Amino acid sequence: MDRPRPGAGPRPPARPRRLGSLRARAAAAAALAMAAVLAAGGVWLYTVLRANLIENTTARTELAARKVASQIDTGTLPAGGRLPAPEGGVDLVLVRDASGRTVTTSGDPQDIPELAGPRPAPPGDDSRSAVLPAAHPGTERRVVVAVAAPGPPGAHHPHTVYAMTVLGDVDDATRAVARGLLAGAPPLIGFAAALAWWVTGHALRPVDAIRTELAAVTASELDRRVPDPGGADEIAQLARTVNATLDRLERGDARQRQFTADASHELRNPLAAVRSRLEVALRDPDRESVAAALADTERLQGIAADLLLLARLDGGPAPRAEPVDLALLAAEDLARRPGPRVPLRLDARAPVPACGDPERLERALANLVDNALRYARTEVTVRAFADGDGWAQLEVIDDGPGIPEADRDRVFERFVRLDADRGRASGGTGLGLAIAREIARAHGGDLRALAPSAGGAGARLVLRVRVPGP
């Protein structure tokens, strides 16, 4: 049994060549559509052509009959009981009196037994026509027109003029058309199927290239992109959407790898410190070493809890939607902080209604206040207000060194500290602002770092969520 070469990725499955493929279905649909069009068009053409030929033949036949009727009315029938051969392809004209006796004819009436007997015209008309079927095998259909001829003034015995035309030419023409349609249908149907097969294959060629390239994308090759055929059609939009999805996957994978590396780095230092302190305590037990080990353990516990919360925020369910008063939430948080490092001031003149999960919003506010207390010099201010545009906002302002404009978005990344040494010394995990922003976004809002008001020093972090509707 052949073994795969080391490092060789899985081969993409071969495209099945079956009748259920899209190209086959498109070709079959085109063939059926062409067959339906040819059938409907052929029946329509055959019917219209046959009716038109019969109508023209009937008109010529009626004209021949009326010419003879006009001769009867004017008393100018040829003498001798024989009519001249009619023109226009009419085969026979004969005149019969009221008793059905043949008065004159252009041919032999014994060959036309269907003309025996009078054929009076319907009331209000002086002529009528009929298409007669073949009388015997080997004969052909005929069109017969009967025209009433009252005769000259004072005549007491009206006559009827019959004119007949054999429909052999009409039947030959319609049969030729039917044969042509039947003979031409299969090539046209085959051409439609082949054209649909070719057009569909040409249109799906970019899709096949996209599928092949996408099948080659692996966890270690997320930088690959599918070819963009250009243009603004659906396939080009599909290629751009796939590439945009791959971009997001690559960014997410890079973020996950960076997060894993940062988490490993953040956990390695406290673990090493705990181990060293515990080793010292084993050799020379004292309360200071045990207390330091306990502090490092608590720091590890905080990092683990923050990592777990971030994991829940990334893939967990949407937060609860409950009425929340942000002003009351801020007042309760400040009241739970006895003896802060710098004074805390609340600026909330009225209740600020919002909608969300109180526990998560409380955690986000606590993280913002903790961050401000870590860097403030003399005071931290918490403001709660509604901006009138459908947003409820919480602002946490400190008078510390502030956040450079270039870093105002980077501070929300995980394990990012603008002053790493001071952050670790003060006990921060580097995840507080990242958690606060994820909580705000889970509520349909956002968290931003803005420039201090009125050009002052320090940092201003603004969290906003939607005000509940009426």
Side-chain angles (χ1 to χ4, degrees):
M1 182 174 63
D2 294 337
R3 296 183 179 180
R5 293 176 296 173
R11 293 181 180 178
R15 183 173 58 185
R17 302 288 184 179
R18 59 183 187 276
L19 293 178
S21 67
L22 184 59
R23 294 184 72 184
R25 291 199 300 270
L32 289 176
M34 179 61 76
V37 170
L38 290 176
V43 170
W44 175 82
L45 178 62
Y46 180 86
T47 303
V48 170
L49 178 63
R50 179 176 176 276
N52 185 263
L53 291 175
I54 291 177
E55 182 179 357
N56 291 338
T57 303
T58 302
R60 294 198 310 271
T61 306
E62 182 178 353
L63 179 61
R66 288 191 179 278
K67 286 182 178 180
V68 176
S70 176
Q71 292 176 345
I72 294 175
D73 292 341
T74 57
T76 58
L77 273 177
R82 295 286 296 181
L83 294 174
E87 299 176 354
V90 179
D91 295 291
L92 175 69
V93 177
L94 62 85
V95 180
R96 286 180 176 168
D97 58 18
S99 62
R101 184 175 60 87
T102 300
V103 177
T104 182
T105 178
S106 64
D108 187 359
Q110 300 302 323
D111 296 336
I112 320 294
E114 292 82 3
L115 295 182
R119 293 178 180 270
D125 196 2
D126 62 348
S127 68
R128 77 185 192 107
S129 61
V131 176
L132 303 181
H136 305 286
T139 60
E140 296 176 305
R141 297 182 308 138
R142 291 166 284 270
V143 59
V144 176
V145 177
V147 176
H156 300 290
H157 301 287
H159 295 73
T160 302
V161 180
Y162 295 91
M164 183 206 72
T165 303
V166 177
L167 295 177
D169 294 340
V170 173
D171 292 339
D172 290 342
T174 53
R175 277 194 296 268
V177 170
R179 291 193 190 99
L181 291 173
L182 291 176
L188 289 175
I189 294 173
F191 173 76
L195 181 63
W197 178 274
W198 180 84
V199 170
T200 306
H202 183 74
L204 292 179
R205 193 174 302 154
V207 176
D208 190 54
I210 292 172
R211 180 193 62 80
T212 303
E213 190 66 25
L214 194 58
V217 174
T218 62
S220 60
E221 294 183 343
L222 286 177
D223 59 333
R224 302 187 66 159
R225 296 296 179 267
V226 301
D228 186 349
D233 57 12
E234 291 79 0
I235 296 178
Q237 294 176 7
L238 172 64
R240 296 180 191 122
T241 302
V242 170
N243 284 334
T245 303
L246 291 175
D247 288 340
R248 292 193 297 270
L249 287 175
E250 185 180 15
R251 289 195 299 268
D253 181 72
R255 182 180 178 185
Q256 182 181 10
R257 292 175 185 272
Q258 184 64 40
F259 178 71
T260 303
D262 291 342
S264 301
H265 176 73
E266 293 292 329
L267 292 173
R268 184 172 59 248
N269 291 338
L271 284 172
V274 170
R275 178 176 178 177
S276 63
R277 295 182 191 278
L278 290 176
E279 288 174 348
V280 170
L282 284 174
R283 290 194 302 267
D284 186 15
D286 58 43
R287 293 180 59 86
E288 184 178 351
S289 298
V290 175
L294 178 60
D296 288 335
T297 303
E298 289 175 348
R299 173 174 164 73
L300 281 172
Q301 200 172 20
I303 294 176
D306 287 347
L307 289 174
L308 179 60
L309 178 57
L310 276 174
R312 289 174 178 172
L313 291 174
D314 285 340
R320 295 176 299 173
E322 299 180 6
V324 181
D325 182 358
L326 295 187
L328 179 60
L329 205 69
E332 291 176 346
D333 181 81
L334 269 59
R336 284 193 293 267
R337 298 174 183 271
R341 188 178 65 84
V342 296
L344 294 171
R345 186 171 67 88
L346 176 62
D347 181 5
R349 297 177 178 82
V352 182
C355 186
D357 187 332
E359 294 181 0
R360 291 192 179 183
L361 291 174
E362 181 182 354
R363 175 61 185 273
L365 176 61
N367 288 359
L368 296 180
V369 175
D370 288 341
N371 182 78
L373 286 172
R374 193 171 296 122
Y375 298 105
R377 292 192 178 97
T378 62
E379 185 182 57
V380 172
T381 301
V382 179
R383 295 182 60 214
F385 63 95
D387 63 3
D389 293 329
W391 295 100
Q393 298 197 20
L394 278 172
E395 286 190 1
V396 179
I397 306 168
D398 66 69
D399 57 355
I403 303 173
E405 185 176 357
D407 296 323
R408 286 176 186 166
D409 189 60
R410 196 170 69 89
V411 293
F412 298 107
E413 297 178 5
R414 301 173 184 187
F415 294 116
V416 169
R417 299 185 186 88
L418 301 184
D419 189 349
D421 293 334
R422 184 171 62 178
R424 290 192 179 93
S426 61
T429 63
L431 296 172
L433 294 183
I435 290 174
R437 185 172 66 171
E438 291 300 328
I439 291 175
R441 290 180 173 178
H443 285 77
D446 199 5
L447 174 61
R448 294 177 296 169
L450 302 180
S453 303
R460 182 162 69 106
L461 300 178
V462 181
L463 183 150
R464 65 176 190 170
V465 293
R466 280 290 183 186
V467 173

